[in-house]
């Protein structure tokens, strides 16, 4: 998929998420003011953070397709990562604020005198709306292969669970006339938001540190390299993410008798084999060494080998 088409899908997903979450956020926050329910307010704040995610998604969609330049020689794919990192901090702050406010309510004993049925109706509508948004975001995340949109779809699925919890709490609060359940639910919702923020932060932090949690990528890389005749000992492999794409460095050993042209052709075959096995590759840099070279043994500070995954 070319960058312009990917950017278009990301933009479409962002517009849908923006419109849907803006309506739900305003609807729930208004309902919270009318009923005095902190649980509904917490649900509304969670939707407000989704509005921010949608705005950032639209912004990223206009950047990710930009070509490389002298300041960004690898392109702008990591704008997704940077945006997601910022969002995780914003979401964390929203959750922490809700935890603090609901804690004050619990300690002071100041609860909403009555939780109107409108709060239950509002939360029910929220569940329906979030379900539609989650389905649409998952669809665009798949066709655009965007980690940001994928994270947004996951966040909305989590929101469905959150709204269901709020709905059950509101129902029990009305049935058993226990208004203290409202700030307690809000407190738990705040913890849920904080947990999601930390999870998102850890995911993008791994990418920013050029880490990898998918060992199958290295297994595919080594398998593809070794499938090419006359190629031995793939080593010092490094895979890092650039948004939803992969940047790969790899050393291989080839017959020392090959001409530069033939060695280059062999490297091209290796690259082709890797791209067939790992389609989301952005760029591959292959370093050639003669058979039984010990040059790689002198540099052990970085890179992985098949023995790391018991493939030797």
């Amino acid at each position: 998929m070319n960058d312009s088409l990917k950017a278009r899908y990301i933009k479409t997903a962002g517009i849908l998420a923006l419109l849907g979450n803006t309506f739900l956020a305003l609807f729930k926050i208004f309902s919270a003011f009318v009923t005095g329910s902190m649980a509904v307010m917490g649900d509304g704040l969670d939707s407000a953070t989704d509005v921010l995610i949608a705005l950032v998604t639209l912004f990223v969609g206009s950047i990710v397709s930009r070509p490389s330049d002298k300041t960004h020689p690898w392109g702008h794919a990591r704008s997704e990562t940077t945006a997601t990192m910022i969002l995780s901090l914003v979401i964390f702050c929203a959750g922490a604020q809700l935890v603090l406010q609901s804690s004050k309510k619990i300690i002071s004993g100041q609860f909403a005198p009555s939780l109107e049925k409108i709060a239950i109706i509002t939360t029910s509508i929220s569940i329906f709306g979030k379900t539609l948004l989650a389905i649409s975001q998952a669809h665009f995340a798949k066709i655009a292969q965007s980690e940001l949109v994928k994270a947004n779809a996951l966040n909305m699925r989590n929101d469905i669970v959150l709204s269901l919890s709020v709905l059950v709490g509101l129902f029990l609060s009305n049935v058993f006339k226990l208004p203290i359940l409202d700030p307690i639910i809000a407190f738990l919702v705040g913890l849920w938001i904080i947990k999601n923020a930390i999870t998102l932060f850890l995911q993008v932090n791994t990418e920013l540190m050029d880490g990898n949690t998918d060992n199958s990528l290295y297994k595919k890389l080594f398998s593809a390299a070794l499938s090419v005749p006359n190629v031995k000992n793939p080593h010092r492999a490094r895979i890092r993410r650039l948004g939803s794409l992969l940047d790969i460095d790899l050393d291989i050993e080839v017959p020392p008798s090959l001409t530069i042209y033939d060695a280059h052709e062999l490297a091209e075959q290796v690259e082709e084999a890797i791209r067939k096995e790992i389609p989301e590759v952005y760029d591959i840099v292959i370093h050639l060494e003669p058979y039984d070279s010990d040059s790689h043994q002198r540099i052990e500070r970085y890179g992985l080998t098949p023995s790391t995954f018991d493939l030797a």
Side-chain angles (χ1 to χ4, degrees), residues 8-28:
R8 189 187 311 166
Y9 284 135
I10 292 176
K11 184 177 180 179
T12 301
I15 291 174
L16 288 175
L18 176 61
L19 295 176
N21 283 305
T22 298
F23 169 76
L24 290 175
L26 293 175
F27 185 53
K28 285 184 281 190

Side-chain angles (χ1 to χ4, degrees), residues 43-238:
D43 202 7
L45 287 177
D46 184 67
S47 292
T49 63
D50 293 337
V51 173
L52 291 177
I53 292 176
L55 288 172
V56 172
T57 302
L58 289 174
F59 177 69
V60 168
S62 65
I63 295 178
V64 71
S65 61
R66 293 180 184 177
S68 60
D69 51 40
K70 64 180 181 180
T71 307
H72 306 90
W74 274 278
H76 298 77
R78 271 199 174 167
S79 58
E80 283 189 64
T81 312
T82 304
T84 307
M85 175 68 76
I86 295 172
L87 283 173
S88 69
L89 299 176
V90 172
I91 294 171
F92 180 88
C93 291
Q97 182 66 20
L98 183 58
V99 166
L100 291 174
Q101 292 299 323
S102 57
S103 297
K104 291 180 181 178
K105 290 286 186 181
I106 295 172
I107 294 173
S108 66
Q110 298 176 354
F111 313 126
S114 63
L115 299 175
E116 304 292 340
K117 291 182 180 180
I118 188 174
I120 296 177
I121 296 174
T122 299
T123 306
S124 300
I125 294 174
S126 171
I127 293 171
F128 177 75
K130 283 290 184 180
T131 300
L132 294 180
L133 287 174
I135 293 173
S136 66
Q137 294 300 299
H139 170 71
F140 283 108
K142 182 177 180 179
I143 59 178
Q145 298 179 349
S146 169
E147 290 299 315
L148 180 59
V149 180
K150 182 179 178 181
N152 200 15
L154 178 60
N155 180 51
M156 290 185 186
R157 288 198 295 269
N158 290 338
D159 289 344
I160 296 172
V161 177
L162 185 150
S163 293
L164 281 172
S165 301
V166 172
L167 181 62
V168 171
L170 289 171
F171 178 77
L172 293 177
S173 179
N174 276 271
V175 170
F176 296 105
K177 306 302 180 183
L178 294 173
I180 192 176
L181 288 178
D182 183 60
I184 290 176
I185 295 169
F187 179 83
L188 295 176
V189 169
L191 293 180
W192 174 274
I193 294 173
I194 291 173
K195 177 259 183 187
N196 288 338
I198 293 175
T199 300
L200 189 58
F201 176 86
L202 293 176
Q203 288 175 349
V204 296
N205 186 60
T206 298
E207 180 179 335
L208 288 174
M209 294 184 67
D210 291 333
N212 175 67
T213 56
D214 185 2
N215 291 336
S216 67
L217 289 175
Y218 281 97
K219 293 179 180 179
K220 291 178 181 179
L221 173 63
F222 292 130
S223 176
L226 292 171
S227 69
V228 179
N230 294 323
V231 172
K232 293 183 179 180
N233 190 28
H235 56 280
R236 285 177 63 190
R238 286 142 287 163

